[in-house]
Amino acid sequence: MERTLDRTPVPLPGTLRQLFAVLEGAGYEVWVVGGAVRDHLLGRPVHDYDLTTDAPPEAIAALFPDAIGTGRQFLSMRVPVGEDRYELTTYRTEQSYGDHRHPGAVRPVAHIGEDLCRRDFTIGAICYHPLRGYYDPLDGMSDLRSGRVRAVGEAACRFEEDALRILRGIRLASELGFVIERATAAAMAAKAGLLPSLSGERMLYELDRILRGAHPGALDALLERGALAFLGIEGRGPLAPLGTLPPDPIPRWTALFAGMPQPRAALARASAALRMPGALTGGVAASLDAMAGLEGERTDRNLKRMMGRYGPARVADGIRAGGACGRLSPAEAEDLSLRMQGILQRGEPYCRGMLAVNGRDLIRLGYRGKAVGETLDRLLARVIDCPAYNEYNKILADLMQDARMGLQNGR
Ligand code: ATP
Ligand code: MG
């Protein structure tokens, strides 16, 4: 399917116009490049502006004293203008990538055309200037029209230079729903063995965007080759169904691991290798455990227990993930999530904090030590089965009866 591109001017925020005025007023040339141009042409919202210029970093620093070098050797500057910040890179080429990650030598070049050739994919190498319009010597627009991710130049060399590009290309395919052009896909497969040379953080950033994209099946080709086994990510079926889940990290990552033979072991390995933030690892672990807990017993009682232990959000993610990877049938997943919604709507208690009595009430009645927690758990088990029992007076009357019988110390 050919897409129609929106070739109207790329809307530029006022602060970006100021930046253009300052740099071009000083005799330099600036272009918008990368995601902003690509997304505007596709009619998608523009979220950040990457800029490229012939101004050297020293000149940028002189014109914008607040600019911060983000690796001077890479000729990149972060330039704050008013409330906004722009990434500005000086036209450059890159040579000799010894470690498949970092350019060994970066050399400034005079012409934008040369700079575009070092970029990874044609659809990110289209530029836009507010007066000159679009400049697209690599014909990225034809790839945009036909929905193709194509490497700039010899794909295998480009992935050899920087293996992160393999994941960046898959990320574009997942987010945009593009296919990866044949030679580019073949080179990705051929060079996938270089992925372990990348840092965990950079891989995590790209993998997260791939999983949260509308078409996470873009990762299938690498998964099928076992190319992510070094991260513990292996042995699962196609990822396309993940596209139906909310595009948030926890449900998507949960569904990735849920479809593996040993989800928790795989999560532990990936979490260490990718240096996943604790909140993500913890959220995925809880959702996986909630899903596993529901597989054996799908009663309301067990559902409430899981809600109490992991929280309704993690249970919802576990149910969705289980449905998306076939651990739960679509009917089972639908039934569980409807029942959970019902429990929440009716306000039925499922955790200690929802009991009509609390620890202080028990202490006032003379309960001490372990008996406080154990009694709360016993009460919770009862109100889980019988929500109507959750009334202060009813519970208190029973507890006072117990107290008269000397049961407060749990003995
Ligand atoms: P998004 O902003 O949605 O992440 P983007 O294409 O703008 O997508 P950025 O990471 O912002 O991606 O990079 C901006 C541009 O810089 C890219 O479009 C590409 O032209 C170039 N670029 C970034 N990283 C690389 C890389 N590893 N190799 C080659 N070119 C790159
Ligand atoms: Mg960008």
Side-chain angles (χ1 to χ4, degrees):
M1 180 196 64
E2 285 281 299
R3 289 158 178 78
T4 309
L5 301 183
D6 177 358
R7 293 199 48 156
T8 58
V10 178
L12 306 184
T15 49
L16 183 49
R17 291 184 176 279
Q18 275 177 41
L19 184 146
F20 265 89
V22 171
L23 276 164
E24 301 218 327
Y28 297 107
E29 177 181 82
V30 188
W31 295 85
V32 184
V33 69
V37 182
R38 180 188 70 223
D39 290 339
H40 175 73
L41 286 164
L42 288 174
R44 295 167 65 95
V46 171
H47 61 92
D48 75 348
Y49 294 83
D50 303 295
L51 306 166
T52 183
T53 179
D54 60 355
E58 305 74 48
I60 298 168
L63 290 166
F64 298 94
D66 294 334
I68 305 159
T70 50
R72 182 154 298 222
Q73 133 198 48
F74 301 124
L75 304 173
S76 293
M77 304 283 279
R78 184 164 299 144
V79 185
V81 188
E83 294 291 284
D84 300 315
R85 276 187 335 193
Y86 297 99
E87 292 291 331
L88 204 51
T89 60
T90 303
Y91 299 161
R92 68 197 197 204
T93 60
E94 296 164 357
Q95 296 140 341
S96 66
Y97 295 63
D99 59 1
H100 314 298
R101 272 180 298 173
H102 302 114
V106 179
R107 192 168 54 79
V109 293
H111 191 259
I112 173 81
E114 277 186 85
D115 177 87
L116 294 178
C117 291
R118 60 105 188 154
R119 293 176 181 270
D120 45 6
F121 299 101
T122 60
I123 58 173
I126 308 169
C127 27
Y128 173 79
H129 186 281
L131 301 177
R132 296 173 215 169
Y134 291 94
Y135 180 56
D136 181 25
L138 300 170
D139 200 15
M141 286 202 204
S142 90
D143 287 322
L144 267 189
R145 262 186 228 104
S146 39
R148 262 191 316 246
V149 177
R150 179 198 299 275
V152 172
E154 183 64 48
C157 298
R158 306 310 311 284
F159 299 144
E160 180 104 11
E161 290 168 355
D162 178 1
L164 189 72
R165 292 172 183 157
I166 297 173
L167 296 180
R168 285 175 48 87
I170 294 171
R171 179 250 281 185
L172 288 167
S174 175
E175 289 184 340
L176 303 174
F178 279 22
V179 296
I180 299 174
E181 175 269 333
R182 232 159 48 113
T184 303
M188 284 178 171
K191 298 296 171 189
L194 300 174
L195 292 173
S197 64
L198 298 172
S199 81
E201 286 89 345
R202 297 181 82 197
M203 284 188 284
L204 177 65
Y205 178 80
E206 297 299 338
L207 285 173
D208 186 60
R209 288 186 63 172
I210 293 170
L211 290 179
R212 286 191 292 117
H215 305 271
L219 194 61
D220 284 346
L222 277 196
L223 279 183
E224 281 161 19
R225 300 181 64 84
L228 301 181
F230 74 100
L231 297 170
I233 300 174
E234 61 181 332
R236 61 150 301 141
L239 294 186
L242 270 61
T244 61
L245 299 173
D248 301 320
I250 293 180
R252 297 285 178 109
W253 282 91
T254 301
L256 172 73
F257 294 110
M260 296 182 195
Q262 291 186 305
R264 288 290 252 118
L267 169 64
R269 191 156 161 212
S271 171
L274 295 170
R275 297 168 183 274
M276 284 164 70
L280 178 59
T281 308
V284 173
S287 304
L288 286 171
D289 290 350
M291 181 199 72
L294 287 168
E295 273 179 323
E297 185 190 331
R298 295 194 301 279
T299 58
D300 272 17
R301 172 195 285 171
N302 194 35
L303 192 49
K304 289 184 201 174
R305 275 199 212 123
M306 295 300 141
M307 290 163 71
R309 198 173 297 161
Y310 304 110
R314 297 292 80 83
V315 176
D317 288 338
I319 293 171
R320 288 192 193 109
C325 70
R327 298 278 289 251
L328 297 167
S329 73
E332 286 167 349
E334 169 85 0
D335 171 59
L336 278 168
S337 67
L338 284 177
R339 278 195 289 130
M340 186 166 95
Q341 280 168 33
I343 290 166
L344 291 170
Q345 273 159 15
R346 293 188 299 274
E348 291 181 13
Y350 55 82
C351 62
R352 276 189 187 181
M354 295 171 87
L355 283 171
V357 297
N358 60 30
R360 281 190 303 281
D361 297 318
L362 298 190
I363 289 166
R364 236 179 288 125
L365 285 172
Y367 285 79
R368 294 289 179 268
K370 271 201 320 195
V372 176
E374 284 167 4
T375 306
L376 289 174
D377 283 343
R378 186 168 51 79
L379 292 170
L380 180 61
R382 182 149 174 207
V383 301
I384 277 179
D385 285 336
C386 175
Y389 180 65
N390 195 26
E391 275 186 29
Y392 184 78
N393 289 336
K394 278 190 206 164
I395 296 178
L396 220 65
D398 285 351
L399 290 176
M400 276 163 32
Q401 172 92 26
D402 287 354
R404 273 195 294 279
M405 294 166 68
L407 299 176
Q408 309 97 308
N409 293 320
R411 265 176 251 127

